[in-house]
Amino acid sequence: LDCNKKKTFIAKLLHKKMNNNSQELDSLGYTILKNTAPMELISSIQSYAQEFLKCEKNSSSIIEAMSQLEILDKKKFYSFCIEMGKILPATQIASISPILSLVKGVLKTENIYLPEAGIFFNKIDVTRLQYDWHTEKSYFPNANEVITLWYPWLHNVNVDNGTMIMADASHTKMHTAETIHVKDGLTQMKIKETDLEEFHFTPCTLELGDVVLFKLNTVHKTGVNKSGIPRTTMITRLTNYSGITSTKN
């Protein structure tokens, strides 16, 4: 009986926590789930990176190998970032109950698609890989909603190493974006910071195991990496049927 009561109590706590995250996602346009990605899956992602990059399985060795690949062969570096998004542990993290249940509730469907996934890399002298203020709506113009899952897989992320910065509640308004093409880099759909003066900016401070979920219209950008060490994170997009046919190249 005591065991059953304990299970019921834990289930109620988890349900309350999910409701809080859902409300935060609705009000702020993003929510942080602490201690959600299992460390064994994070470790598995690191093992895949070690295999791809032919380096040691530790943060400094993997970061150094990624840095060298980005310098020596940008096409191979891009391919590495995309292929890492397809690995099993990345999909497994996107599929764990706290994340998937929340996304299903937001999208109001049991059929969840994963149209895009990959690694982001923030190195202070590689400006072509850094995003200015933007929303994912620019890249999924016909989608009703796309939820992006974003999390560290190699080291903690914070203000010092250029973590992602969110504009709180910015998803509640429409924003005009300017298209900026960057040679060998990311096509920017830039929103002027002067258009965001009414919003509070919040950096996503995350430890390994923490994740962020944010909405299609939430304005965000790459922070400035002042640490001297490149910062890397994993992203996975989760959407309904409308989102898989609406990608803008």
Side-chain angles (χ1 to χ4, degrees):
L1 184 60
D2 289 342
C3 183
N4 288 335
K5 285 183 177 179
K6 185 176 180 180
K7 287 181 179 178
T8 301
F9 177 72
I10 292 173
K12 286 181 178 179
L13 282 179
L14 291 175
H15 182 70
K16 182 179 179 181
K17 183 178 180 181
M18 191 172 77
N19 283 341
N20 290 341
N21 287 129
S22 180
Q23 291 170 8
E24 193 170 63
L25 187 58
D26 187 55
S27 61
L28 291 178
Y30 68 94
T31 187
I32 294 175
L33 283 66
K34 306 294 285 186
N35 300 313
T36 299
M39 292 309 297
E40 59 267 27
L41 293 180
I42 296 292
S43 179
S44 184
I45 291 175
Q46 296 169 3
S47 293
Y48 276 84
Q50 173 196 18
E51 186 172 55
F52 270 113
L53 298 168
K54 297 179 175 58
C55 63
E56 298 297 319
K57 187 188 171 184
N58 59 68
S59 178
S60 59
S61 181
I62 291 172
I63 284 293
E64 177 60 26
M66 289 177 68
S67 296
Q68 287 302 310
L69 182 60
E70 190 280 324
I71 292 170
L72 297 174
D73 194 325
K74 290 174 174 49
K75 287 185 177 179
K76 283 187 178 180
F77 177 78
Y78 175 78
S79 178
F80 161 74
C81 290
I82 296 302
E83 291 303 316
M84 283 291 291
K86 301 174 184 176
I87 63 177
L88 182 59
T91 302
Q92 288 175 312
I93 288 175
S95 303
I96 63 175
S97 180
I99 295 171
L100 194 57
S101 296
L102 182 57
V103 172
K104 285 181 177 180
V106 172
L107 297 178
K108 295 179 173 58
T109 181
E110 288 293 313
N111 298 337
I112 302 299
Y113 297 85
L114 309 180
E116 286 185 356
I119 281 178
F120 278 179
F121 188 65
N122 181 356
K123 186 178 178 183
I124 193 168
D125 60 347
V126 187
T127 56
R128 66 185 180 83
L129 297 179
Q130 297 177 20
Y131 277 108
D132 213 315
W133 291 112
H134 69 286
T135 71
E136 304 311 306
K137 184 67 174 177
S138 297
Y139 306 100
F140 296 87
N142 301 315
N144 297 321
E145 183 61 90
V146 176
I147 303 297
T148 297
L149 167 66
W150 189 94
Y151 58 92
W153 61 277
L154 201 55
H155 45 227
N156 298 344
V157 295
N158 48 52
V159 172
D160 190 51
N161 64 9
T163 192
M164 180 170 59
I165 302 172
M166 314 300 292
D168 294 2
S170 54
H171 68 300
T172 59
K173 291 193 174 183
M174 297 298 293
H175 304 276
T176 302
E178 176 188 2
T179 303
I180 300 175
H181 297 286
V182 180
K183 184 180 179 181
D184 297 323
L186 303 164
T187 298
Q188 299 275 355
M189 306 295 288
K190 182 179 178 180
I191 297 170
K192 295 179 181 178
E193 187 161 323
T194 53
D195 294 340
L196 303 172
E197 292 177 348
E198 67 185 279
F199 302 108
H200 179 264
F201 301 155
T202 301
C204 296
T205 301
L206 308 177
E207 297 182 357
L208 289 176
D210 299 342
V211 307
V212 177
L213 292 169
F214 62 91
K215 288 192 163 189
L216 185 67
N217 287 311
T218 305
V219 183
H220 56 287
K221 75 168 185 173
T222 303
V224 177
N225 189 343
K226 299 170 287 186
S227 69
I229 301 171
R231 183 268 292 163
T232 180
T233 50
M234 179 74 74
I235 68 156
T236 303
R237 317 281 191 198
L238 301 98
T239 188
N240 55 19
Y241 183 73
S242 73
I244 66 171
T245 57
S246 61
T247 305
K248 182 177 180 179
N249 294 325

